[in-house]
Amino acid sequence: MERIFEQMPIVISSLNVGFIQTLKLFFVTLIGAFPLGLLIAFGSMSRFRPLSYFAKFLVWIIRGTPLMIQLLIIYYFPGLVLHNPVWGGGETGRFLAASVSFILNYACYFSEIYRGGIQGVPIGQEEAGLVLGMTKSQIFFKVTLLQMIKRIVPPMSNEIITLVKDTSLARIIALQEIIWAGQAFMKGSHGISGAIWPLFFTAVYYLIFNGILTMLLGHLERKLNYFR
Amino acid sequence: MSILEVEHISKSFNKTEALKDISFSLERGQVLSIIGSSGSGKTTLLRCLNFLETPDRGIIRVNGETLFDADNPAAKLESVIRKKRLHFGLVFQSFNLFPQYTALQNVMLAKELLAREQPDYKTRKKEIYEEIRSLSESLLSQMGLEKRKENYPHQLSGGQCQRVAIARALALNPDILCFDEPTSALDPELTGEVLCVIKELADNNTTMVIVTHEMAFAKDVADHVIFMDEGSIIEQGKPAQVFGNPSEERTRQFLGT
């Protein structure tokens, strides 16, 4: 126990560095997947058949296979099979590959949430806009969008919280996120070796961050409660 | 000259003929009631007038201007249709108010968006907003809702919602105001207040097309009645004639006389 107190400052500072990388992957994924998901959602609802088939096929592939496999394929396939290492070496390359994998994966999940949100807004809302002489884009931005956001906040919150934990999968391509940083103390890092508690301790980071997110998302949900 | 002329409108959904060769006309300031059983094509006809459905054949004219001609493909472009829609207002059975806006905002929204297309919008922004606001407030007062203007739709009764919807349609000052079973989603108590408002509009010579199941109301308020069955007009004429002395067997069956 005393050992742990001695090791604590070193471990914390190392885990903090790892957690920064976790947070970076988390936010980059959100920033990329929010708009890409909307594009895929519009694609799968398109009346242009080839586009909607393509979007649905993509969603099927991405949702039908483990994110871990997607990470491995996206990171290793270009270099090892095509002999064209597009990602470059080192941590930057790993982060780039992880970002692409996560954005693609989460965009597909988001697209289904968006689709549910858009299709959940009654058709009468659009028709009311049309007979009032609004353009399609005015109807989307002024009428449908907020109702759709209200509908998607709860399922989206769920995905966002899952994403926080899913970032740990990037460990499989040795991205130096918090799990990687915690695990390093088993083999030896910063003069500490054979310690498994730092790995267990990473859970506290996830727990606190998810606690904050849950509060923020709950606040957003209540903000939108002024209408039904 | 008639304000509205509908000639030979037909519309099919897949293989079902919803409207078969519908023709009628309406004079300015008059009220037309369309009656008939569910599925007789009344609502489809209203939706065609408001360009929510595109007729397969036929012509629609307002004030002598051809708004729609099935033989002219250019007439089906969304951008062309949008302005033409403004000749008509439509009040829905299920209100379709925008839930995230207050009663007042519901009435103002479309007119505000339309005002942005005026050339002097940028310089007169504030003035235009105030104009629209006071117009909308007076419309809500006319509907007896001056105390409800800051309420959201979910805080209003069905009858109040429908009256907001009527004010919203009136705000754009349509040539012809259409009602699609405006009281079918309301209980009898609330039906009365909505019918009252429509009656007032009729007394003020608002040109209206009303699809309704309220026979007594249709008889009272209409200048002209159309009875539809299976997508066709079976009989039309003055209310006294259609209700009092129908010439068609099918009309008598429907009215139970």
Side-chain angles (χ1 to χ4, degrees), chain A residues 7-18 185 197-198 201 205:
Chain A
Q7 292 167 347
M8 190 67 104
I10 302 163
V11 169
I12 295 268
S13 75
S14 171
L15 290 187
N16 284 349
V17 174
F185 290 105
W197 74 267
F201 190 73
Y205 282 77

Side-chain angles (χ1 to χ4, degrees), chain A residues 113-131:
Chain A
I113 295 178
Y114 285 131
R115 198 164 63 87
I118 293 170
Q119 291 176 344
V121 176
I123 184 76
Q125 291 290 308
E126 187 187 336
E127 291 183 348
L130 286 175
V131 297

Side-chain angles (χ1 to χ4, degrees), chain B residues 53-175:
Chain B
E53 307 288 352
T54 312
D56 301 327
R57 284 189 297 278
I59 295 172
I60 299 172
R61 278 195 211 99
V62 172
N63 290 325
E65 179 197 353
T66 304
L67 293 194
F68 178 85
D69 184 346
D71 295 332
N72 177 7
K76 292 171 192 169
L77 292 173
E78 182 60 36
S79 53
V80 179
I81 289 172
R82 190 168 76 87
K83 290 283 175 188
K84 296 180 173 176
R85 279 202 173 99
L86 294 172
H87 289 284
F88 295 90
L90 177 60
V91 175
F92 298 86
Q93 180 178 349
S94 49
F95 329 136
N96 295 341
L97 291 181
F98 306 132
Q100 71 268 45
Y101 295 120
T102 63
L104 182 62
Q105 288 168 334
N106 262 280
V107 180
M108 292 177 66
L109 180 66
K111 198 150 174 92
E112 274 183 85
L113 293 174
L114 220 54
R116 290 185 191 180
E117 293 167 28
Q118 292 175 16
D120 60 348
Y121 176 71
K122 283 220 167 92
T123 49
R124 290 186 56 236
K125 217 169 171 173
K126 262 232 144 78
E127 246 175 284
I128 290 174
Y129 176 84
E130 286 307 323
E131 278 169 25
I132 295 173
R133 189 187 167 91
S134 71
L135 166 82
S136 303
E137 283 179 340
S138 71
L139 281 170
L140 283 173
S141 302
Q142 193 189 330
M143 297 293 129
L145 292 167
E146 62 274 27
K147 293 208 176 93
R148 291 297 191 171
K149 63 182 183 192
E150 300 302 332
N151 285 114
Y152 289 94
H154 77 270
Q155 298 165 324
L156 301 172
S157 72
Q160 289 168 335
C161 280
Q162 193 59 298
R163 284 183 282 151
V164 174
I166 294 171
R168 180 174 74 172
L170 285 172
L172 295 174
N173 200 19
D175 293 313

Side-chain angles (χ1 to χ4, degrees), chain B residues 174-217:
Chain B
D175 293 313
I176 300 152
L177 185 53
C178 303
F179 291 85
D180 183 14
E181 301 184 25
T183 59
S184 293
L186 303 175
D187 60 47
E189 220 173 327
L190 301 176
T191 297
E193 64 186 51
V194 171
L195 294 183
C196 240
V197 163
I198 301 174
K199 177 89 171 88
E200 258 171 53
L201 292 174
D203 292 342
N204 292 330
N205 294 324
T206 312
T207 313
M208 293 189 281
V209 178
I210 306 174
V211 167
T212 184
H213 289 301
E214 300 283 333
M215 293 306 141
F217 176 70

Side-chain angles (χ1 to χ4, degrees), chain A residues 106-147:
Chain A
Y106 269 80
C108 285
Y109 280 96
F110 287 175
S111 78
E112 287 297 288
I113 295 178
Y114 285 131
R115 198 164 63 87
I118 293 170
Q119 291 176 344
V121 176
I123 184 76
Q125 291 290 308
E126 187 187 336
E127 291 183 348
L130 286 175
V131 297
L132 290 166
M134 295 186 200
T135 63
K136 292 256 181 191
S137 87
Q138 285 172 341
I139 292 171
F140 179 74
F141 286 106
K142 296 285 178 179
V143 176
T144 320
L145 184 62
L146 195 63
Q147 296 181 50

Side-chain angles (χ1 to χ4, degrees), chain A residues 31-46:
Chain A
I31 291 166
F34 278 145
L36 183 61
L38 197 57
L39 282 183
I40 297 172
F42 282 135
S44 72
M45 289 186 294
S46 167

